[in-house]
């Protein structure tokens, strides 16, 4: 009896699987993988209130196609190591991972995530949306099999690396190599290859460079890479943990030697940045960014699609977007906001003896950056902020000038070490800085029962110059931490309304 029940259940599951497969095949639009590059973007245009074109949305996609033969092996290996280590063995998708994801989706009701091979990612980027549903995931696998049948592995890798979004307006690895390093992809070093491989999981978070309005970035901000008039390019250190994970996986998988691993991990990536700007940013940039977010939101509601699908439609859907922007007024307003003399000084602040700004309860709200760092940007840990325990570990004490937070990302659990919020006044302009981070690998950090941060003695041995011992304590040089961008205070905005029409 039990055997009959099990056989019946297996037959029902098999029938359901066959039925679902038939539904997927019947309802999924046909593709032609042989002409995969033809499936890419159409240009969307933004118009001002007079109907004049003011921006081609597609021009934000800086894209240069390059042959896989011109891509360094380190670059290909870096992407394989972090994204799909079985790329050269599978036939489009990893059956075990896909089955596990489907099981979790059916049993727990969770969104499917983290199961895509490089071939599936290519199928999603070119043919599908990014919604995390069971049907979309199965269509993705179906397309991936078709792509594998039609193309060689090198052709799949070439198409993938030419289409993937790399942050900083760059699509594809050649555009990214030019944008971040001003060099062709075949000239990339191992450290630079690992940097590019670190980006695609979350380009908005892991892009090594950010473009910030110059008025929001102090002249002495150590994160500055280049000022370009109205905008400043600043170094974004968030990618470093994932870049090092790429290098660790390459070493683990035998793709690089220990000597290559050590050399690449020692590269100062901020110094390696040599950006080539390909997109002209003008006075409409902030308005257009807001406008595109609004259009994406409207498309999500009207078409009942997710954010990724709406964003894809905006950037690739040949839309005509008519805005309320009056170009003449915008030009006048932008000019006035560039004048510091138009803004009042920050006054009536309550400070302690060190110049730290206090709140109404006399607690420190903003630390004086001049007391945090010396004139060379060095950060000093006095003896009352740390100790060395009996095992030789460095213990940074909680409740002082550093914050310790448990965090979890796609790369796993970590403990972030952050400066508290800072301020400084330069040329009469008041700047607020939301702290910054100290770069210590997650394998070396833990929290004790009191919430103090324990840095393993192995880190001190492997990186003897990270903390420099001086007469007054431990010193960190600017290369061992990154501050976030400064923001001018007070902030301002302007609304211009036609009183006759509202």
């Amino acid at each position: 009896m039990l055997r009959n029940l099990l056989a019946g259940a297996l037959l029902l599951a098999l029938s359901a699987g066959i039925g679902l497969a038939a539904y997927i095949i019947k309802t999924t639009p046909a593709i032609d993988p042989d002409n995969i590059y033809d499936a890419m973007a159409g240009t969307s245009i933004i118009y001002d209130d007079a109907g004049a074109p003011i921006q081609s949305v597609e021009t934000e996609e800086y894209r240069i196609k390059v042959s896989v033969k011109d891509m360094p092996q380190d670059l290909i290996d870096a992407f394989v190591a972090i994204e799909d280590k079985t790329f050269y063995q599978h036939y489009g998708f990893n059956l075990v991972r896909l089955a596990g994801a489907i099981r979790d989706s059916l049993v727990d009701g969770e969104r499917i995530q983290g199961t895509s091979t490089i071939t599936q990612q290519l199928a999603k980027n070119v043919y599908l949306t990014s919604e995390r549903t069971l049907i979309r995931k199965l269509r993705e696998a179906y397309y991936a099999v078709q792509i594998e049948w039609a193309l060689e592995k090198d052709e799949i890798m070439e198409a993938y690396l030419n289409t993937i979004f790399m942050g900083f307006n760059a699509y594809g690895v050649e555009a990214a190599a030019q944008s971040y390093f001003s060099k062709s992809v075949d000239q990339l070093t191992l450290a630079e290859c690992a940097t590019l491989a670190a980006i695609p999981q979350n380009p908005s978070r892991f892009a090594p460079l950010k473009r910030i309005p110059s008025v929001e970035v102090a002249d002495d901000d150590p994160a500055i890479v280049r000022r370009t008039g109205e905008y400043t390019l600043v170094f974004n250190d968030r990618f470093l943990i994932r870049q090092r994970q790429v290098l660790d996986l390459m070493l683990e998988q035998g793709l690089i030697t220990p000597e290559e691993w050590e050399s690449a991990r020692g590269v100062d990536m901020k110094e390696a940045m040599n950006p080539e700007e390909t997109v002209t940013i003008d006075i409409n940039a902030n308005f257009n960014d807001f406008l595109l977010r609004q259009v994406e939101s409207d498309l999500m509601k009207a078409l009942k699609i997710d954010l990724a699908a709406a964003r894809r439609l905006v950037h690739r859907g040949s839309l005509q977007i008519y805005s309320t922007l009056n170009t003449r007024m915008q030009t006048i307003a932008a000019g006035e906001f560039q004048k510091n003399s138009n803004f009042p000084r920050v006054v009536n602040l309550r400070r302690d003896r060190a110049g730290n700004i206090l709140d109404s309860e006399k607690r420190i709200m903003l630390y004086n950056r001049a007391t945090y760092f010396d004139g060379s940007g060095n950060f000093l840990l006095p003896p009352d902020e740390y100790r060395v325990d009996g095992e030789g570990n460095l213990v940074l004490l909680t409740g002082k000038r550093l914050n310790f937070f448990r965090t979890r990302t796609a790369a796993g659990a970590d403990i972030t070490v952050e400066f508290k919020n800072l301020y400084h006044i330069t040329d009469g302009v008041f700047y607020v800085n939301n702290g910054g981070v100290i770069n210590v690998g997650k394998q070396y950090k833990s929290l004790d029962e009191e919430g103090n941060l324990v840095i393993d003695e192995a880190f001190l041995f492997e990186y003897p110059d990270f903390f420099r011992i001086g007469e007054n304590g431990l010193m960190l040089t600017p290369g061992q931490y990154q501050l976030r961008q400064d923001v001018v205070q007070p902030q301002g905005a302007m609304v211009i309304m036609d009183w006759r029409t509202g």
Side-chain angles (χ1 to χ4, degrees):
M1 182 66 177
L2 179 60
R3 181 180 299 176
N4 292 337
L5 287 173
L6 290 174
L10 181 61
L11 181 61
L12 285 173
L14 182 61
S15 300
I18 293 173
L20 182 57
Y23 171 79
I24 295 296
I25 293 172
K26 181 179 180 180
T27 60
T28 301
I31 62 172
D32 181 8
D34 288 321
N35 297 310
I36 196 165
Y37 288 104
D38 293 340
M40 294 182 194
T43 301
S44 295
I45 305 293
I46 298 175
Y47 299 86
D48 67 12
D49 65 343
I54 56 176
Q55 182 181 332
S56 171
V57 179
E58 177 60 17
T59 59
E60 293 186 357
E61 295 192 8
Y62 176 35
R63 193 189 297 271
I64 305 173
K65 182 181 176 183
V66 62
S67 170
V68 70
K69 296 178 182 178
D70 295 324
M71 298 177 186
Q73 191 61 45
D74 280 340
L75 180 69
I76 295 171
D77 289 344
F79 276 89
V80 169
I82 192 70
E83 295 290 345
D84 185 5
K85 68 179 181 180
T86 63
F87 172 71
Y88 291 102
Q89 287 78 50
H90 64 63
Y91 297 97
F93 60 90
N94 187 312
L95 182 59
V96 174
R97 291 169 61 192
L98 181 60
I102 292 173
R103 179 203 61 203
D104 293 342
S105 176
L106 294 175
V107 174
D108 301 327
E110 297 179 355
R111 295 187 304 171
I112 290 185
Q113 55 187 341
T115 65
S116 293
T117 64
I118 281 177
T119 315
Q120 287 175 266
Q121 291 181 54
L122 174 62
K124 179 188 68 176
N125 292 340
V126 177
Y127 301 116
L128 294 166
T129 68
S130 297
E131 58 179 334
R132 294 173 178 174
T133 65
L134 174 59
I135 295 299
R136 200 274 295 164
K137 179 60 67 174
L138 293 174
R139 285 184 173 137
E140 179 185 285
Y142 174 53
Y143 279 154
V145 172
Q146 293 185 63
I147 292 172
E148 292 274 351
W149 284 347
L151 304 177
E152 299 292 334
K153 286 289 187 180
D154 282 350
E155 293 176 308
I156 295 170
M157 180 62 69
E158 177 182 299
Y160 169 74
L161 293 179
N162 276 320
T163 58
I164 195 164
F165 180 46
M166 300 297 295
F168 205 55
N169 304 318
Y171 282 75
V173 291
E174 176 66 17
Q178 298 285 357
S179 293
Y180 293 118
F181 306 113
S182 292
K183 60 174 66 173
S184 297
V185 71
D186 61 352
Q187 299 173 329
L188 293 175
T189 66
L190 172 57
E192 292 163 351
C193 290
T195 294
L196 296 192
I199 298 171
Q201 185 196 57
N202 190 338
S204 62
R205 178 177 176 82
F206 295 133
L209 292 175
K210 297 289 186 182
R211 187 185 288 106
I212 309 293
S214 293
V215 295
E216 297 181 6
V217 185
D219 290 338
D220 60 349
D221 191 324
I224 291 176
V225 174
R226 181 180 301 164
R227 283 195 184 272
T228 58
E230 185 181 351
Y231 284 81
T232 295
L233 304 182
V234 296
F235 184 67
N236 173 37
D237 69 295
R238 289 180 172 179
F239 76 95
L240 288 173
I241 293 177
R242 187 163 173 83
Q243 182 227 29
R244 289 165 184 165
Q245 183 184 14
V246 172
L247 292 170
D248 291 347
L249 289 173
M250 293 180 76
L251 178 65
E252 179 184 309
Q253 296 169 26
L255 300 171
I256 56 175
T257 66
E259 292 75 21
E260 290 172 322
W261 172 85
E262 184 175 6
S263 176
R265 281 181 62 100
V267 174
D268 184 336
M269 292 312 302
K270 179 176 180 293
E271 292 299 319
M273 292 293 139
N274 182 27
E276 175 185 88
E277 290 234 69
T278 59
V279 179
T280 301
I281 301 295
D282 58 19
I283 53 94
N284 303 327
N286 289 333
F287 175 85
N288 289 346
D289 288 344
F290 171 81
L291 172 68
L292 294 180
R293 290 196 299 270
Q294 186 63 52
V295 171
E296 290 165 0
S297 176
D298 292 343
L299 288 172
M300 290 170 63
K301 294 176 183 177
L303 302 181
K304 294 180 172 56
I305 57 178
D306 68 357
L307 176 59
R311 188 163 293 165
R312 180 185 178 87
L313 191 57
V314 166
H315 285 273
R316 302 185 175 194
S318 301
L319 302 182
Q320 293 178 305
I321 304 170
Y322 292 92
S323 76
T324 58
L325 180 73
N326 184 299
T327 304
R328 177 176 171 272
M329 290 183 183
Q330 183 76 2
T331 301
I332 296 170
E336 293 303 313
F337 275 99
Q338 296 300 312
K339 300 176 183 177
N340 287 330
S341 60
N342 285 336
F343 289 85
R345 292 176 178 248
V346 177
V347 296
N348 298 326
L349 297 174
R350 179 180 299 178
R351 295 181 172 91
D352 62 15
R353 291 183 179 179
N356 303 316
I357 295 176
L358 308 177
D359 63 15
S360 58
E361 303 295 326
K362 296 185 179 181
R363 295 170 300 193
I364 296 177
M365 181 171 61
L366 293 171
Y367 282 82
N368 181 1
R369 198 164 86 175
T371 65
Y372 244 69
F373 305 98
D374 65 20
S376 299
N378 300 312
F379 175 70
L380 181 69
L381 278 163
D384 64 344
E385 294 190 14
Y386 74 93
R387 67 172 184 266
V388 177
D389 66 19
E391 298 178 358
N393 303 314
L394 176 63
V395 181
L396 305 184
L397 303 180
T398 187
K400 304 294 184 180
R401 293 179 301 155
L402 296 175
N403 288 324
F404 314 127
F405 300 108
R406 294 186 186 276
T407 57
R408 178 171 291 279
T409 67
D414 196 5
I415 302 168
T416 59
V417 187
E418 297 190 352
F419 298 114
K420 297 188 177 181
N421 294 343
L422 309 166
Y423 85 94
H424 67 99
I425 300 174
T426 303
D427 296 330
V429 180
F430 189 95
Y431 296 91
V432 171
N433 182 289
N434 292 323
V437 294
I438 297 175
N439 302 315
V440 176
K442 64 180 180 181
Q443 68 270 31
Y444 301 106
K445 295 177 294 188
S446 62
L447 292 177
D448 65 16
E449 294 180 354
E450 298 175 354
N452 301 314
L453 182 80
V454 180
I455 300 178
D456 194 280
E457 65 169 341
F459 179 83
L460 306 178
F461 177 78
E462 293 179 31
Y463 303 94
D465 295 328
F466 193 94
F467 293 98
R468 300 186 179 182
I469 301 176
E471 295 182 0
N472 300 317
L474 294 181
M475 180 179 293
L476 281 136
T477 59
Q480 314 303 348
Y481 66 84
Q482 277 80 40
L483 288 178
R484 297 190 175 93
Q485 284 72 52
D486 288 338
V487 177
V488 178
Q489 296 293 345
Q491 292 283 286
M494 184 179 295
V495 177
I496 301 175
M497 181 182 294
D498 187 332
W499 62 272
R500 294 163 297 187
T501 65

